[in-house]
Amino acid sequence: MPPTPPDQRIAGAPISWGVCEVPGWGHQLAPDRVLTEMREVGLAATEVGPDGFLPADPAALAATLAQHDLHAVGGFVPAVLHVPGHDPAPAVDRVLDAFVAARAGTLVLAADSGLTGYDARPTLDDEGWRTLLGNLDRLAGLAADRGITAVLHPHVGTMVENPDDVRRVLEGSSVALCLDTGHLLIGGTDPAELARQVPDRIAHTHMKDVDGRFARRVQGGELTYTEAVREGMYRPLGSGDVDVAAIVSYLEGNGYAGWYVLEQDTILTGAPTGEGPVVDVRTSVEYLRGQFAKVGR
């Protein structure tokens, strides 16, 4: 059976419409608008978004997505993985129940700091790292037993943020990665170089572009992550400093068969006027399709 063409593997994420799990993040749009606009710009599927955005009941979730001709990819699941004596498995297992019922295939784990938001994180000692890495492999095994692929999402303000953190995960666990092109760049990792070096470890991709000037200010402590997002750090694909073309070329050239999830973190200060966030999503869809045409898959 031939592989699914990449332009049929473009998915959306509610965060591109400003929908986020962080309290006080910004104005939250209604699910019907977000899902309708996803389909209008040609997306095939969506991550499910934060708790409460879409129905928790699997049958209701499936019906809601079917009304908009969308499939469930899976979703972003922050979990505290580094605290000895804390077992993240029961909460993750409940998420897996919902994913199985919704036929969603990807569990996107983030190593939650245990703090609110993504503007600070504690420093891990060796015991914390052993606990985190052990939990990653254990949760990946639980997901695999249910037919779901678990990936670890390096993310600003979590316990896996910078190049050393990513290296420790690659060397100390067998979990696959979510290649989040924006969070990696802001955390100091070149996402194109990572895609070139370890394509076989990448099972899921979050596509976003970044204004490097803001990324450097976050790295230097001049801005918090949230402040930078509010000021426009994330850009439509092709208009920032992420080498999207190289990433697509490396992934597709190595037989990548996963989703490309358009995920441009956005903060809305109020109800949008005009078309709103969908303008940037549409631009990103068109740019990504252009890159796929160039690699000929």
Side-chain angles (χ1 to χ4, degrees):
M1 186 174 180
T4 303
D7 62 357
Q8 295 178 30
R9 291 185 273 120
I10 306 176
I15 188 65
S16 295
W17 280 260
V19 178
C20 183
E21 73 280 358
V22 176
W25 181 259
H27 179 78
Q28 303 290 286
L29 293 175
D32 184 66
R33 173 172 177 170
V34 173
L35 299 180
T36 296
E37 292 182 350
M38 283 186 182
R39 203 66 192 100
E40 286 175 350
V41 299
L43 301 181
T46 182
E47 291 192 0
V48 298
D51 286 347
F53 178 66
L54 294 178
D57 176 74
L61 172 62
T64 298
L65 293 176
Q67 289 170 6
H68 295 87
D69 195 22
L70 290 166
H71 301 287
V73 170
F76 178 74
V77 180
V80 175
L81 306 175
H82 63 281
V83 177
H86 170 73
D87 186 2
V92 170
D93 211 38
R94 288 191 293 272
V95 173
L96 291 173
D97 286 341
F99 282 9
V100 168
R103 299 182 180 179
T106 309
L107 173 71
V108 185
L109 289 169
D112 195 339
S113 68
L115 306 175
T116 299
Y118 300 113
D119 294 334
R121 65 176 193 151
T123 299
L124 277 190
D125 58 15
D126 287 342
E127 182 182 20
W129 269 109
R130 284 193 297 271
T131 302
L132 187 153
L133 295 170
N135 276 324
L136 279 177
D137 281 340
R138 189 162 61 94
L139 295 177
L142 287 175
D145 289 344
R146 313 287 289 279
I148 291 174
T149 299
V151 295
L152 185 276
H153 183 335
H155 191 295
V156 175
T158 69
M159 306 315 298
V160 181
E161 172 186 279
N162 61 44
D164 285 343
D165 301 335
V166 174
R167 176 187 56 78
R168 291 187 79 152
V169 169
L170 289 171
E171 295 177 355
S173 80
S174 60
V175 73
L177 290 183
C178 169
L179 186 82
D180 187 294
T181 62
H183 280 282
L184 284 165
L185 185 71
I186 299 161
T189 298
D190 180 343
E193 183 62 14
L194 187 64
R196 185 189 70 80
Q197 291 175 348
V198 293
D200 293 342
R201 288 292 291 271
I202 297 166
H204 195 60
T205 303
H206 283 175
M207 297 297 294
K208 47 170 68 83
D209 214 337
V210 175
D211 184 329
R213 296 170 299 176
F214 285 106
R216 288 187 288 273
R217 293 177 69 189
V218 173
Q219 292 163 1
E222 296 177 43
L223 289 175
T224 67
Y225 176 75
T226 305
E227 289 168 342
V229 173
R230 187 176 293 114
E231 292 190 24
M233 175 168 60
Y234 289 114
R235 307 292 307 142
L237 296 186
S239 61
D241 293 294
V242 172
D243 193 346
V244 176
I247 290 166
V248 169
S249 178
Y250 291 141
L251 291 179
E252 291 299 305
N254 282 279
Y256 177 73
W259 289 99
Y260 292 90
V261 180
L262 297 177
E263 197 201 44
Q264 180 183 326
D265 295 23
T266 299
I267 294 175
L268 300 178
T269 57
T273 58
E275 286 193 271
V278 72
V279 173
D280 284 350
V281 179
R282 185 183 298 116
T283 298
S284 292
V285 170
E286 292 171 355
Y287 183 82
L288 191 54
R289 289 185 186 278
Q291 299 308 308
F292 292 152
K294 291 178 181 179
V295 300
R297 283 188 63 194

